[in-house]
Amino acid sequence: MFGPNHSPRYHHRERDFSEHYADTARLFCEFAGIDTDDWDVFFVTGSGTCAIQTILYSLSDQLNVVTEGHFSDRIKRYLTDIGKKSNSSSKTAGVVYETSISHLNDDLPDDIFMCDCVSSFPYYEPKGQIWATVTSKQIGCAPGLSIVVMKKSLWDDGSINFADESYLSLGKFKAKREDHQTPHTPAITLIDDLNEKLRNWDAERFRTMISKRRNELLMHIPTDCIIGDGPVLTLKDDERSRGLTTLFNLYNYSSDGPQLFLWSGTGKQYDKLYERLGEFY
């Protein structure tokens, strides 16, 4: 009572929150199919980019980015800014699913070290010894919470730089890990939201929904008007897709064309979309 946060339940230094945080981390490990004895999970307040930069900032070694595309380039630029980009490093990094072009990088090295799984997980399996994702995309939570997942063995092999007080330091997360705490004020309501989503997740229903929506769209849109594959449908930029974008306010921030993120939207919204597609294709 009378704690620092205006919350009807608890503040982030109470035992109730610690237990809830630990329970959410456990649920996420089950969700991701990873063993809690081998992996650490950290909830980072911020976007997927924040989780990725937390990883890159905390690493001791340089990385060689082996994928290409918009989000791969962002990783390269940040690594360059902090002096950790090297085309000759044995430690590699990459993006599992380049959302901007709906492209799955299915030829990643077996021993890839770090991966951006922000838009790929859980539709595609995560890769790497350390990876990042976000709760607001496929998992369906409110925006503002991202996740860093890493092998516990990395703490002992020199991969992580501990001596740092930055907000982005994974070392600070580790220091609070035993108490199931965060080094800064966490997004409690977003962790609550994630806990609920994980408890009610239906993997089969999720995959069926993605497949059904893509197949239905392919019945109306010629394949030569579509870029890539997977859970994000990218339309080639032309007069037809621009008209559709205006009518349905499609996401239009990829240089290749407007996009439909097939995990978002309601069934009724898709029904309306299907009804109007014939006017454009």
Side-chain angles (χ1 to χ4, degrees), residues 6 16-17 26 58 87 99 141-142 145 181 190 229 239 248:
H6 191 280
D16 285 348
F17 173 74
R26 176 190 60 78
S58 300
N87 294 334
T99 324
C141 298
L145 188 68
Q181 292 281 348
L190 298 182
D229 202 349
E239 184 176 346
F248 285 96

Side-chain angles (χ1 to χ4, degrees), residues 52-59 78 82 84 164 166 168-169:
I52 290 168
Q53 291 193 1
T54 296
I55 292 172
L56 302 179
Y57 182 88
S58 300
L59 294 179
Y78 185 69
I82 61 175
K84 292 183 179 179
D164 198 297
S166 169
L168 299 178
S169 172

Side-chain angles (χ1 to χ4, degrees), residues 79-231:
L79 287 171
T80 299
D81 288 346
I82 61 175
K84 292 183 179 179
K85 180 179 179 295
S86 171
N87 294 334
S88 60
S89 175
S90 61
K91 287 188 175 180
T92 54
V95 176
V96 173
Y97 185 58
E98 274 288 353
T99 324
S100 59
I101 52 174
S102 301
H103 175 69
L104 173 65
N105 287 306
D106 54 3
D107 56 350
L108 293 171
D110 292 337
D111 62 348
I112 194 162
F113 182 72
M114 176 268 169
C115 274
D116 171 346
C117 300
V118 169
S119 294
S120 62
F121 181 80
Y123 189 82
Y124 296 117
E125 289 188 8
K127 304 284 185 180
Q129 298 181 55
I130 184 167
W131 50 277
T133 192
V134 71
T135 65
S136 60
K137 292 194 173 184
Q138 295 187 25
I139 299 174
C141 298
L145 188 68
S146 56
I147 305 175
V148 171
V149 185
M150 61 173 286
K151 283 196 170 182
K152 291 183 177 181
S153 58
L154 298 183
W155 296 116
D156 300 320
D157 68 6
S159 295
I160 306 297
N161 178 18
F162 282 90
D164 198 297
E165 286 298 312
S166 169
Y167 187 92
L168 299 178
S169 172
L170 279 174
K172 293 184 70 175
F173 278 88
K174 183 179 187 299
K176 290 290 185 179
R177 180 189 61 181
E178 296 304 322
D179 296 327
H180 303 295
Q181 292 281 348
T182 59
H184 48 72
T185 303
I188 295 176
T189 56
L190 298 182
I191 293 173
D192 290 346
D193 189 19
L194 174 61
N195 189 291
E196 180 181 356
K197 291 292 191 302
L198 294 176
R199 289 184 180 279
N200 295 292
W201 184 261
D202 186 332
E204 183 177 354
R205 179 178 178 275
F206 174 74
R207 290 189 170 276
T208 299
M209 178 186 70
I210 298 290
S211 177
K212 181 180 178 181
R213 288 176 173 178
R214 175 171 276 276
N215 289 338
E216 185 71 27
L217 289 165
L218 288 172
M219 291 175 63
H220 296 84
I221 304 172
T223 55
D224 60 358
C225 296
I226 295 174
I227 299 171
D229 202 349

